[in-house]
Amino acid sequence: MLEIQNLSKTFPLGRKQRAQTGKTEVTAVDALTLSVSGGEVFGLLGANGAGKTTTLRMLATMLAPTSGTATVGGCDIVTQSADVRRQTGLLFGGDTGLYDRLTAFENIQYFARLNDIEDSVSSARIKRLAEVFRFTEYLERGAGKLSKGTRQKVSFARAIIHDPALMLFDEPTLGLDVTAKKEAEDFILSCRDNGKTIVLSDHTLSVVERLCTRIGILDKGKLLAVGTIGELCAANGCDTLEQVFFKLAGVRNEE
Ligand SMILES: Nc1ncnc2c1ncn2[C@@H]1O[C@H](COP(=O)(O)OP(=O)(O)OP(=O)(O)O)[C@@H](O)[C@H]1O
Ligand SMILES: [Mg+2]
């Protein structure tokens, strides 16, 4: 479903950073190669600044790669970006991008319309997703008047209203309370069971442990290791994912 080949992204540094580091650019993602199939939840783990969001933004066609390529369902993220977007749902934690003056329902419906989904079809889906995420009572409320967690739930529904085969979730459980977090996790697992391909990043190791079929550890844009938790532990002589993470990616904060 998702094939990533040597994907790289460099950003030019500002004057101040150039002076501080003596470098002209930062390599946010460095020759990433990876395949993810339907029915998999792939977890990107890495310290702040490791390149997780940049990777997800490139896959979502929001950001052009500097070099390398990726395909989603056989469609190239650069030359066939419209086809990629049709097959992709994208959710960024914390930054929901909802229109405050539209209701929760209207926000989701608007996105559905952008994806050429008939209102009759989207209405039924919105109701079902609102039940799954338990925000039915807030459907008619303006998004600007919703709590952070409810906004995140509405954003979840909006991201997947077009029933995409590939779901990209950047810190999807950020800001959710314990119950909502569990609902979001259960939802991701049900998507996996329905054959969806999911790539997510999350700093909470317990979330990654519960959801991910495979994990990749990113450090300074490089994929250091890929595997199931069992494989990663065995290869690194560790007992837990946390130990593997500290061994490979350390506690360095790149920012
Ligand atoms: N638009 C940009 N312009 C310049 N540099 C950027 C830009 N976006 C990201 N970077 C740099 O790219 C690197 C990777 O950032 P990215 O946001 O992908 O990390 P991350 O793994 O998502 O981190 P976090 O865990 O903090 O969300 C960082 O050094 C960051 O400063
Ligand atoms: Mg990030």
Side-chain angles (χ1 to χ4, degrees):
M1 175 62 201
L2 173 65
E3 299 285 340
I4 307 175
Q5 274 289 334
N6 268 318
L7 195 66
S8 297
K9 181 72 190 179
T10 55
F11 291 108
L13 287 176
R15 200 185 318 148
K16 208 168 150 193
Q17 282 173 304
R18 280 205 300 270
Q20 275 169 357
T21 61
K23 294 178 187 163
T24 56
E25 57 183 29
V26 57
T27 304
V29 178
D30 195 354
L32 192 80
T33 296
L34 178 72
S35 336
V36 188
S37 314
E40 273 201 279
V41 181
F42 190 90
L44 284 173
L45 266 186
N48 294 133
K52 304 176 296 293
T53 299
T54 306
T55 301
L56 293 173
R57 289 182 71 202
M58 283 193 284
L59 298 177
T61 78
M62 293 166 68
L63 195 64
T66 307
S67 60
T69 176
T71 57
V72 174
C75 300
D76 187 278
I77 57 169
V78 176
T79 58
Q80 296 166 289
S81 57
D83 295 315
V84 169
R85 276 197 293 275
R86 255 191 291 281
Q87 302 179 66
T88 307
L90 177 69
L91 177 73
F92 286 101
D95 176 21
T96 58
L98 296 178
Y99 296 108
D100 285 351
R101 281 155 61 185
L102 297 184
T103 64
F105 184 94
E106 288 165 346
N107 263 286
I108 308 170
Q109 188 184 53
Y110 176 69
F111 196 73
R113 286 178 181 165
L114 289 180
N115 281 279
D116 297 326
I117 299 170
E118 300 263 342
D119 285 356
S120 58
V121 175
S122 68
S123 293
R125 281 192 200 162
I126 293 168
K127 283 181 191 139
R128 191 170 51 80
L129 286 167
E131 275 166 27
V132 170
F133 285 107
R134 294 177 212 272
F135 63 84
T136 304
E137 63 189 288
Y138 301 114
L139 272 176
E140 299 307 328
R141 189 180 285 190
K145 293 180 185 155
L146 297 173
S147 75
K148 191 167 134 197
T150 305
R151 283 173 70 88
Q152 179 71 351
K153 293 178 185 184
V154 173
S155 304
F156 234 114
R158 192 187 59 161
I160 52 165
I161 190 66
H162 55 312
D163 196 26
L166 173 66
M167 300 179 178
L168 305 172
F169 297 144
D170 195 17
E171 304 187 39
T173 61
L174 195 73
L176 295 180
D177 68 26
V178 178
T179 313
K181 205 173 254 197
K182 171 86 168 53
E183 284 157 10
E185 288 178 22
D186 288 346
F187 181 75
I188 291 172
L189 289 174
S190 74
C191 292
R192 180 196 70 189
D193 294 343
N194 285 323
K196 303 292 185 191
T197 305
I198 297 150
V199 182
L200 61 84
S201 89
D202 208 300
H203 287 294
T204 311
L205 289 182
S206 60
V207 171
V208 173
E209 281 169 342
R210 174 154 187 253
L211 296 183
C212 297
T213 46
R214 278 190 309 147
I215 290 158
I217 297 187
L218 264 183
D219 186 42
K220 292 185 191 144
K222 278 199 165 64
L223 201 51
L224 297 184
V226 174
T228 63
I229 294 176
E231 286 164 358
L232 290 172
C233 287
N236 292 284
C238 296
D239 297 322
T240 63
L241 180 61
E242 186 178 31
Q243 288 175 3
V244 174
F245 182 76
F246 282 122
K247 184 168 179 183
L248 294 181
V251 290
R252 281 189 308 279
N253 184 335
E254 305 298 334
E255 291 284 288

